[in-house]
Amino acid sequence: SVIPDIQVAPDGTEVNGERQVSISGMTETVEKAKTLVSKVIEDAGGATSLPATMNLLPGQEVVELMVPATKVGLIIGKGGEMIKMLQERAGCKMQMIQDGPYASAPEKPLRMTGFPENCKKARQYVLELLEQKELEARGLINVDYSQGVPSTIEMNVSKDLVGFIIGRNGEHIVLLS
């Protein structure tokens, strides 16, 4: 299944004590994520403020990315090495939620806490790692991790060309990656 993107509005954007939560992705996975979010709220006694948001610095946010349960070990890595490396590279805290209602769930939230640009980097690194492992599993690429984990490069692209690179609904990005 395609992984939905869950964004929680930053502190200070509350309206009547509530913050916006946006869930993006394919309709089926968005509905699953909405159900899981609703269950978390219900399990918390209807409270809309979750413990993860309590210790944020001004400008920080909490972003959750749903990860297939079969890929959790890949994200954490042997002895927690991979998640530690991802946290260091992205500059934000990352926590895989595996207990409570997620103990036997088919997808588990990876909670990223930090400044928006760092959470965005962390999400990108995780998606790249998942994509790379998927391509390896299909035998389409071979990656030698003995030299370290592959990194990301950033390029400046004319604003007039960005739409062509992304494509409708991101289809060119998928083909390029």
Side-chain angles (χ1 to χ4, degrees), residues 116-134:
E117 61 275 10
N118 300 93
C119 289
K120 185 177 179 183
K121 269 194 230 173
R123 180 181 184 280
Q124 187 61 41
Y125 293 154
V126 169
L127 293 175
E128 285 174 8
L129 179 62
L130 292 172
E131 177 70 18
Q132 205 149 27
K133 284 296 182 180
E134 182 66 28

Side-chain angles (χ1 to χ4, degrees), residues 40-145:
V40 168
I41 291 169
E42 184 181 300
D43 290 350
T48 52
S49 60
L50 301 175
T53 63
M54 291 172 69
N55 298 317
L56 293 180
L57 296 173
Q60 286 189 326
E61 65 181 8
V62 176
V63 179
E64 289 191 353
L65 176 67
M66 297 305 287
V67 175
T70 57
K71 305 292 184 195
V72 167
L74 170 67
I75 304 299
I76 295 172
K78 187 174 183 178
E81 298 262 335
M82 183 61 73
I83 200 164
K84 284 178 193 162
M85 187 275 307
L86 290 167
Q87 288 180 98
E88 286 172 17
R89 279 184 62 201
C92 75
K93 184 176 191 273
M94 299 170 77
Q95 180 183 14
M96 186 64 69
I97 311 298
Q98 301 186 73
D99 49 7
Y102 299 104
S104 59
E107 294 183 321
K108 300 174 189 288
L110 173 62
R111 185 173 292 154
M112 298 166 278
T113 306
F115 293 100
E117 61 275 10
N118 300 93
C119 289
K120 185 177 179 183
K121 269 194 230 173
R123 180 181 184 280
Q124 187 61 41
Y125 293 154
V126 169
L127 293 175
E128 285 174 8
L129 179 62
L130 292 172
E131 177 70 18
Q132 205 149 27
K133 284 296 182 180
E134 182 66 28
L135 291 174
E136 279 182 55
R138 292 185 190 170
L140 298 175
I141 61 167
N142 262 336
V143 179
D144 177 11
Y145 289 106

Side-chain angles (χ1 to χ4, degrees), residues 32-48:
K32 280 185 195 173
K34 181 181 174 188
T35 301
L36 290 172
V37 169
S38 297
K39 178 153 178 39
V40 168
I41 291 169
E42 184 181 300
D43 290 350
T48 52

